[in-house]
Amino acid sequence: QVQLVQSGAEVKNPGSSVKVSCKTSGDMFNNYAMAWVRQAPGQVLELMGRLVPIVGVPNYAQKFQYRVTITADKSTSTAYMELSGLQFEDTAVYYCGRVARSGGIDSWGQGTLVTVSS
Amino acid sequence: DIQMTQSPSSLSASIGDRVTITCRASLDISNSLAWYQQSPGKAPKLLLYGASRLASGVPSRFSGAGSGTDYTLTISSLQPEDFATYFCQQYFTSLWTFGQGTNVEIK
């Protein structure tokens, strides 16, 4: 069973940044791409970006490309997603997931709630 | 961006009912479609990929069909654990997009 374990909930002020972690196994890290998807209340799921950890080059959805940074630490098999310039509308659950070779995301982290509040 | 439109947005059904959810893409996505199930407070779970291929461990009462721009998810006999929200997702382009979800409720 593939496990992706995310960091805990965060409360942030507008204009600040948040960094969410996603720890998995070395095997998964070396053999699969990882994606970050967010789910705002009442909104459609949104892809933020993807990363192949062993390659280390991310690609970002255009909507987030100037605010999101996705990185990976191979020594700890942990991926990170940092979102800057937080606004109230960034309040959402943020998920990491393993990109299946056959398509879609076949394993998901438990989700991290980020609340932007003044 | 490819727009994914699901219908209906919600439905009420009883245990044992056959349920069909539709997903329409704004252009041909060549079967590059996944379906997910999400229960409240949980992460989505992959049900099908390639429009009609069951993901590992998914019961055979779930099936998918379609081609081009139009796809369906069918649950042949609704079980108590199937009351959840269902999403479609296209991965034909690098900018994946999701449908808005269909909430399946108990009648």
Side-chain angles (χ1 to χ4, degrees):
Chain A
Q1 179 77 6
V2 176
Q3 280 208 315
L4 294 89
V5 180
Q6 297 184 221
S7 49
E10 303 257 17
V11 179
K12 294 292 184 179
N13 291 325
S16 67
S17 298
V18 67
K19 191 170 186 178
V20 180
S21 67
C22 174
K23 182 168 176 59
T24 184
S25 68
D27 178 65
M28 204 225 84
F29 216 65
N30 291 332
N31 293 288
Y32 291 87
M34 294 182 68
W36 287 89
V37 173
R38 80 174 187 182
Q39 187 172 35
Q43 300 297 311
V44 178
L45 287 158
E46 293 182 290
L47 173 70
M48 302 181 72
R50 285 180 298 260
L51 174 71
V52 179
I54 198 169
V55 175
V57 178
N59 64 72
Y60 302 128
Q62 189 171 16
K63 175 177 178 177
F64 300 102
Q65 64 178 345
Y66 298 115
R67 295 200 297 138
V68 71
T69 304
I70 295 174
T71 55
D73 182 341
K74 297 174 200 176
S75 67
T76 60
S77 301
T78 302
Y80 297 92
M81 185 284 300
E82 184 170 20
L83 187 64
S84 62
L86 290 171
Q87 303 299 316
F88 296 121
E89 52 267 31
D90 292 316
T91 293
V93 177
Y94 291 77
Y95 292 102
C96 63
R98 184 178 84 169
V99 179
R101 294 193 181 95
S102 52
I105 298 173
D106 63 356
S107 291
W108 295 69
Q110 82 275 21
T112 297
L113 175 62
V114 175
T115 302
V116 182
S117 173
S118 54
Chain B
D1 301 358
I2 297 178
Q3 306 302 316
M4 306 298 292
T5 304
Q6 281 183 240
S7 60
S9 56
S10 66
L11 64 89
S12 296
S14 301
I15 302 295
D17 282 354
R18 181 181 181 90
V19 166
T20 297
I21 298 167
T22 297
C23 182
R24 173 166 289 174
S26 58
L27 53 87
D28 186 344
I29 57 171
S30 297
N31 289 3
S32 298
L33 184 90
W35 288 97
Y36 300 89
Q37 176 193 64
Q38 187 178 33
S39 298
K42 301 289 188 183
K45 173 188 173 183
L46 180 66
L47 296 176
L48 296 117
Y49 62 92
S52 62
R53 300 179 182 225
L54 275 182
S56 175
V58 174
S60 58
R61 63 180 180 274
F62 292 93
S63 63
S67 63
T69 60
D70 295 326
Y71 299 88
T72 58
L73 169 69
T74 297
I75 309 171
S76 60
S77 177
L78 206 59
Q79 299 301 301
E81 61 269 29
D82 300 337
F83 291 96
T85 300
Y86 295 84
F87 298 94
C88 59
Q89 177 226 334
Q90 67 80 17
Y91 49 91
F92 182 70
T93 64
S94 62
L95 179 58
W96 302 342
T97 46
F98 294 82
Q100 80 277 18
T102 296
N103 186 29
V104 177
E105 301 173 322
I106 301 173
K107 183 184 284 184

